[in-house]
Amino acid sequence: MNSIVESLLQRINIFDVISQYVKLRKAGKDFIGICPFHKEKTPSFTVSIQKQMFYCFGCHEGGNVINFLMKYENLNFNEAIENLAHQYGIKINRNERSKRSTAYDALSKLAEFYHTNLK
């Protein structure tokens, strides 16, 4: 799952995603707009393309594109990843989770074995 997240974050431009939800305008090297997470009259929501991060100086919300989708669309982490992957045509290999759980099961049995035999 971690490689999928890294792949997504490398391919996605945060400006392209957030500008679908928030009207942004150029302000120096960053973009600013009205924060979608709280009511305000003056823009305090900034998006940095260089850092691939957003931050609101009013409500102190911030993060990357995944955090934005989780907060704005009320999604959990996996749903946000799937949404972005579908939008950008990245295939998600669901076998990575099963490999991880298999490894945890094996380690759990090993720990149980040593716990029993070392008593």
Side-chain angles (χ1 to χ4, degrees):
M1 186 68 135
N2 201 17
S3 63
I4 295 169
V5 173
E6 290 171 6
S7 174
L8 274 173
L9 292 177
Q10 288 175 356
R11 287 186 60 187
I12 294 173
N13 183 345
I14 192 168
F15 173 78
D16 294 338
V17 175
I18 293 180
S19 64
Q20 295 174 11
Y21 302 95
V22 179
K23 184 178 179 183
L24 298 171
R25 66 179 168 86
K26 186 94 168 137
K29 62 182 178 180
D30 296 330
F31 292 86
I32 62 171
I34 302 292
C35 182
F37 305 124
H38 73 280
K39 292 185 178 191
E40 64 180 0
K41 294 181 182 178
T42 58
S44 64
F45 185 80
T46 61
V47 176
S48 171
I49 293 177
Q50 289 177 334
K51 297 177 185 175
Q52 290 294 302
M53 303 287 283
F54 75 92
Y55 185 76
C56 176
F57 291 96
C59 65
H60 307 291
E61 283 291 333
N64 60 21
V65 68
I66 298 168
N67 301 118
F68 179 83
L69 274 182
M70 288 172 60
K71 178 83 174 166
Y72 191 88
E73 295 281 345
N74 197 23
L75 302 173
N76 65 35
F77 183 77
N78 289 334
E79 291 170 339
I81 294 294
E82 289 173 2
N83 183 324
L84 286 169
H86 180 269
Q87 191 174 3
Y88 281 84
I90 298 173
K91 293 183 182 178
I92 297 177
N93 185 1
R94 299 197 187 277
N95 292 335
E96 287 184 26
R97 276 194 203 157
S98 63
K99 288 178 188 176
R100 187 177 218 182
S101 64
T102 304
Y104 281 130
D105 290 343
L107 288 173
S108 176
K109 289 178 183 176
L110 185 63
E112 217 175 285
F113 170 78
Y114 281 113
H115 178 71
T116 306
N117 289 325
L118 290 175
K119 277 185 177 178

